[in-house]
Amino acid sequence: MSCNITSGISTGCNDQVGGIVGIHYFQWYPDLVVEKDANGVIIRIYRESAPMFNMHWLYVQADNGMGSVTETYNVGGTGNILGFHQSASFFIPETATPSVGDRNLNEFIEAIATQNNLVIGIETQDNGPMESYSQKCFVFGLERPAYCASGSKETGVVYGDNNGYTLELAADSKEPMQEIAYMAMHSYNLLERLYDPNGVSYLTTNTIWNLDKVASYEGANVSLYDPPFLPLMRRNLLIQPGETVTYEVLVTADWSTDAFSGTTFLPQIAATGSMTTPFYEFFVMDTSFYPIPTAPGPAIIQGKVSFTNTGSTVRSSEIVLRGTTPSGINMNTPPFVPSITFLTITRST
């Protein structure tokens, strides 16, 4: 935002300040792995020593004007940029109750105040129901860990004064804040079960997954769809024009004999969407940690796919069977209920 000195100058000043709704954080590790999509947006962060587990982001609510983030460019005498200082400030009222462990508020403040090894995520808009997906989120502390830079306690004097704590988390970086997908901070344990109202046990071109956990974060980006000539309601993910969507999943199932031809694994999975001409994008299978099964029984497969919507809004089914003979693969349910775990379910423009 511009100050009085730069008022009327379109480029503004060297500080960028914006309102936020929340701050995410986790402990920095030296073996962090960062994945980005084709637009350079971070879609997943995990440890090299634990590649099947996304980082567990903790959360501080900072809406209602109680939080802001500032990035300052440190400029040298000749105009060259020497570095970037990021700062996230937020207020916690005395009445707040931490949801982390069994700590009380004073213990939580003490723990945060001594931190010097954090990664900070900035959420600019909650993706609740009927919210848009246009707001960007940011992260800092990946290059050099963030730390608690300052803090204060206010008791208030008259009615309406703040009564609580103000904390500032900061980092010094060689690069500016990076954009991170909203769902990259909400994908610690996104496990979804097969939608099984009538004993469905086949992976087909119309397989439905519950998407209960996904819906709690994706909000209005999950539609309840009643397709013509098909008996079941299903949830679909909406992909807006210009969005790039990335799915990376683990599919866990008790694969039956019809999933194999000898030792060859037959199922091919894809993401599909309804457009004027329906599309199918095949997942690229990753066998680094889960080899392709060669015999019937419980097994996990891992795959990743990205799709950029260049047309109108797409209603997407994220995991279906495609290009396989036979047309349906028995997944031996019940009692073993197939599931998908989203390692990545992110979008950017």
Side-chain angles (χ1 to χ4, degrees):
M1 59 185 295
S2 296
C3 58
N4 290 334
I5 297 174
T6 58
S7 178
I9 301 176
S10 60
T11 54
C13 62
N14 285 343
D15 286 355
Q16 298 176 3
V17 182
I20 61 177
V21 299
I23 295 173
H24 299 256
Y25 66 95
F26 66 82
Q27 180 178 334
W28 181 90
Y29 292 93
D31 65 339
L32 288 177
V33 178
V34 177
E35 291 186 2
K36 299 181 180 181
D37 68 6
N39 295 319
V41 177
I42 294 174
I43 58 175
R44 188 182 176 216
I45 303 176
Y46 59 93
R47 295 186 65 184
E48 187 177 13
S49 58
M52 294 301 100
F53 300 96
N54 293 337
M55 299 307 298
H56 184 194
W57 298 76
L58 301 176
Y59 180 73
V60 176
Q61 185 175 348
D63 54 2
N64 296 324
M66 295 299 183
S68 67
V69 60
T70 304
E71 179 170 81
T72 304
Y73 306 162
N74 297 318
V75 182
T78 58
N80 58 315
I81 295 177
L82 303 179
F84 300 83
H85 178 79
Q86 295 94 17
S87 170
S89 299
F90 58 95
F91 176 79
I92 300 179
E94 187 68 45
T95 55
T97 302
S99 59
V100 180
D102 56 356
R103 291 174 176 169
N104 60 39
L105 181 59
N106 289 335
E107 291 170 335
F108 172 78
I109 296 297
E110 182 179 358
I112 289 291
T114 58
Q115 285 293 336
N116 63 357
N117 202 39
L118 296 175
V119 175
I120 306 298
I122 303 299
E123 185 175 314
T124 56
Q125 180 173 331
D126 182 26
N127 260 36
M130 304 312 295
E131 294 286 350
S132 69
Y133 211 97
S134 60
Q135 299 299 315
K136 297 181 183 295
C137 300
F138 301 94
V139 62
F140 62 84
L142 287 171
E143 181 185 9
R144 296 172 180 169
Y147 54 91
C148 183
S150 65
S152 63
K153 173 69 166 69
E154 305 168 56
T155 59
V157 177
V158 298
Y159 181 79
D161 284 354
N162 285 336
N163 182 13
Y165 302 85
T166 298
L167 295 174
E168 177 192 1
L169 302 176
D172 297 289
S173 309
K174 292 187 291 185
E175 302 291 338
M177 289 187 294
Q178 300 183 64
E179 185 179 348
I180 185 170
Y182 174 89
M183 286 299 291
M185 298 184 291
H186 294 281
S187 54
Y188 173 64
N189 185 27
L190 289 181
L191 185 146
E192 302 288 0
R193 302 289 186 180
L194 184 72
Y195 182 52
D196 187 21
N198 300 314
V200 175
S201 62
Y202 279 81
L203 176 63
T204 71
T205 56
N206 291 310
T207 300
I208 308 168
W209 304 90
N210 280 330
L211 298 187
D212 290 337
K213 291 184 178 180
V214 171
S216 66
Y217 295 117
E218 285 273 285
N221 292 293
V222 177
S223 70
L224 189 61
Y225 176 50
D226 187 7
F229 312 114
L230 291 175
L232 301 175
M233 299 285 285
R234 75 269 321 276
R235 280 175 167 162
N236 288 134
L237 290 162
L238 298 180
I239 307 174
Q240 303 299 331
E243 285 187 327
T244 296
V245 175
T246 303
Y247 305 138
E248 185 172 1
V249 297
L250 303 177
V251 181
T252 305
D254 184 1
W255 305 100
S256 65
T257 56
D258 62 354
F260 299 87
S261 176
T263 59
T264 301
F265 187 64
L266 296 177
Q268 294 174 280
I269 60 173
T272 182
S274 58
M275 301 173 65
T276 304
T277 302
F279 76 90
Y280 290 89
E281 292 285 341
F282 284 96
F283 279 73
V284 176
M285 306 311 295
D286 185 343
T287 59
S288 302
F289 303 96
Y290 296 105
I292 299 297
T294 58
I300 300 173
I301 60 174
Q302 179 180 354
K304 185 176 182 179
V305 67
S306 291
F307 169 74
T308 299
N309 181 13
T310 58
S312 57
T313 301
V314 169
R315 184 182 291 111
S316 168
S317 296
E318 60 292 334
I319 308 291
V320 299
L321 188 69
R322 184 67 177 173
T324 303
T325 302
S327 59
I329 298 296
N330 194 338
M331 296 189 290
N332 285 340
T333 56
F336 192 103
V337 180
S339 65
I340 53 175
T341 300
F342 285 97
L343 300 177
T344 297
I345 176 173
T346 56
R347 61 187 77 209
S348 66
T349 54

